[in-house]
Amino acid sequence: EIKQLALQLGATEVLFDQSLSPAQQRNLERALELPVNDRVMLILQIFAQRARSHEGKLQVELARLQYLSTRLVRRWSHLERQSGGIGMRGGPGERQIELDKRMINENIKKIKDRLVKVKKQRNTQRRQRERRDVFNISIVGYTNAGKSTLFNALTKAGTYAADQLFATLDTTSRKVHLDGVGSIVVSDTVGFIRDLPHQLVEAFRATLDETIHADLILHVIDACSPVAREQKAEVEAVLREIGADDIPRIEVMNKIDQMPQTFTEGAVLVRDSEGIPSQVFLSAKTGLGLDLLRSALAECSQMTDRIRVEQNRAKVQMA
């Protein structure tokens, strides 16, 4: 049925919205007589188009090589393999695969070494901020939830933002001045997605480190999305995977300007049972509710400062 549908539509490639094993991909290509790719390869291709910084390009290339390293048999299946008596080790196909694997593994090692250097640079910058006791905020959210739009609204940074998947891949950090607090640092991160391939989580570990070490997480949610609850769950799953699920957070319910019939009273700030800001309903695009968010950030920053003072006192007493 898939083959007939592909012929009717004049398709030149078949894409499956799930991960395929190398054997599945090979068998499907033989049966359909068309190139077959899966969800992981599509995401990698989008990432490759969006990456701009040196670090982002390294991370994408690492994930791509790790993906291809498991599919060399399919790539070289047209080469013959020899079989025979004692001492025979295989034909040209096996040698080509071994050569390709070695080249890919060498490139993976080089990229990992370069990413370690990038991570060290980030750690140095982070330690400098920590010594100055700068309040760090990390913006996370499902892809296309409006993270970069919110980042630009808060920081006036001019970061690229568009109505498309993974418009921003590279972490960008900017200082923001809050009345009554002073300077804080806000970081925009890569958008999350359902069933995020594990190798992508590993490859983007250096970028996600900004989230791991944040004092506060702003979880941006597309309030008008019909699957907002599912998208929220996906983001929380990734936060748990990278060890950031215990960091204080505020849910930013974005895009309320697209559903005025629901938010007739405009922007709203919601507090939890302890009186701490937990949700802000706003529109990053129009600026509606940004004042409420800034006041919530200032409040959380002051709370963190008090905690740091108490921790420093405890250290002095123990010394």
Side-chain angles (χ1 to χ4, degrees):
E1 294 181 1
I2 296 177
K3 185 175 181 180
Q4 293 177 351
L5 180 61
L7 291 174
Q8 292 175 1
L9 298 176
T12 57
E13 179 181 353
V14 178
L15 180 67
F16 285 80
D17 187 21
Q18 62 187 40
S19 297
L20 299 175
S21 69
Q24 288 174 327
Q25 191 171 2
R26 180 177 63 251
N27 293 336
L28 284 168
E29 285 189 340
R30 288 174 178 173
L32 300 176
E33 298 180 347
L34 284 171
V36 172
N37 277 309
D38 63 0
R39 175 186 179 83
V40 178
M41 177 54 74
L42 175 63
I43 294 174
L44 286 172
Q45 290 176 346
I46 296 175
F47 275 26
Q49 294 174 1
R50 303 283 191 265
R52 294 292 180 268
S53 72
H54 176 61
E55 179 186 4
K57 291 177 181 178
L58 286 177
Q59 291 166 337
V60 171
E61 182 63 12
L62 174 61
R64 189 185 71 86
L65 291 175
Q66 290 173 332
Y67 175 83
L68 291 179
S69 66
T70 64
R71 283 160 166 73
L72 292 179
V73 173
R74 184 183 68 83
R75 299 289 178 184
W76 296 102
S77 59
H78 66 285
L79 296 176
E80 293 181 354
R81 291 169 175 267
Q82 295 178 355
S83 61
I86 298 174
M88 297 200 67
R89 299 184 57 190
E94 185 172 11
R95 287 200 297 270
Q96 181 64 64
I97 291 171
E98 290 175 349
L99 174 62
D100 224 52
K101 281 186 176 180
R102 184 165 60 253
M103 292 175 61
I104 286 181
N105 288 334
E106 289 175 355
N107 286 336
I108 288 176
K109 184 179 183 300
K110 290 178 182 178
I111 293 175
K112 284 184 175 180
D113 290 341
R114 293 164 72 179
L115 281 173
V116 167
K117 295 179 180 179
V118 172
K119 187 173 182 178
K120 287 181 178 178
Q121 294 173 352
R122 283 193 177 277
N123 288 337
T124 299
Q125 296 171 353
R126 188 179 298 115
R127 284 195 297 269
Q128 291 175 348
R129 295 199 299 262
E130 289 174 351
R131 282 197 295 268
R132 295 193 296 266
D133 288 336
V134 178
F135 188 66
N136 293 286
I137 298 172
S138 182
I139 301 178
V140 304
Y142 203 83
T143 184
N144 207 32
K147 296 182 294 74
S148 295
T149 303
L150 178 64
F151 179 77
N152 288 336
L154 288 173
T155 66
K156 312 299 182 183
T159 299
Y160 179 67
D163 184 16
Q164 60 187 22
L165 299 180
F166 308 114
T168 303
L169 285 184
D170 309 309
T171 296
T172 305
S173 298
R174 292 288 187 275
K175 282 187 177 181
V176 177
H177 179 80
L178 288 180
D179 293 337
V181 174
S183 294
I184 64 172
V185 174
V186 181
S187 299
D188 185 21
T189 61
V190 61
F192 297 165
I193 191 171
R194 69 177 175 85
D195 301 326
L196 185 69
H198 183 70
Q199 61 264 47
L200 288 181
V201 175
E202 291 299 320
F204 280 77
R205 180 71 63 174
T207 298
L208 296 176
D209 270 352
E210 288 296 327
T211 301
I212 298 173
H213 295 278
D215 296 305
L216 177 70
I217 291 177
L218 292 184
H219 181 180
V220 182
I221 300 172
D222 183 352
C224 64
S225 172
V227 290
R229 183 174 299 178
E230 290 81 358
Q231 293 176 350
K232 173 185 174 181
E234 293 293 340
V235 172
E236 291 178 344
V238 176
L239 291 177
R240 284 194 298 271
E241 185 171 355
I242 66 175
D245 54 325
D246 60 343
I247 298 174
R249 72 187 69 175
I250 295 177
E251 292 182 357
V252 178
M253 307 302 292
N254 190 28
K255 303 184 182 181
I256 65 172
D257 58 303
Q258 298 183 19
M259 44 196 314
Q261 70 282 0
T262 304
F263 294 92
T264 55
E265 298 180 0
V268 178
L269 171 62
V270 180
R271 297 177 180 273
D272 62 17
S273 58
E274 298 179 359
I276 300 174
S278 59
Q279 273 188 329
V280 180
F281 291 80
L282 55 73
S283 170
K285 184 177 181 180
T286 65
L288 178 65
L290 286 179
D291 54 338
L292 292 177
L293 179 60
R294 289 192 180 96
S295 64
L297 296 181
E299 187 175 335
C300 291
S301 176
Q302 292 167 351
M303 292 173 54
T304 301
D305 287 342
R306 289 195 294 270
I307 294 174
R308 284 173 176 167
V309 169
E310 293 174 359
Q311 290 176 341
N312 290 335
R313 287 177 181 172
K315 290 179 181 179
V316 171
Q317 292 175 355
M318 292 178 62

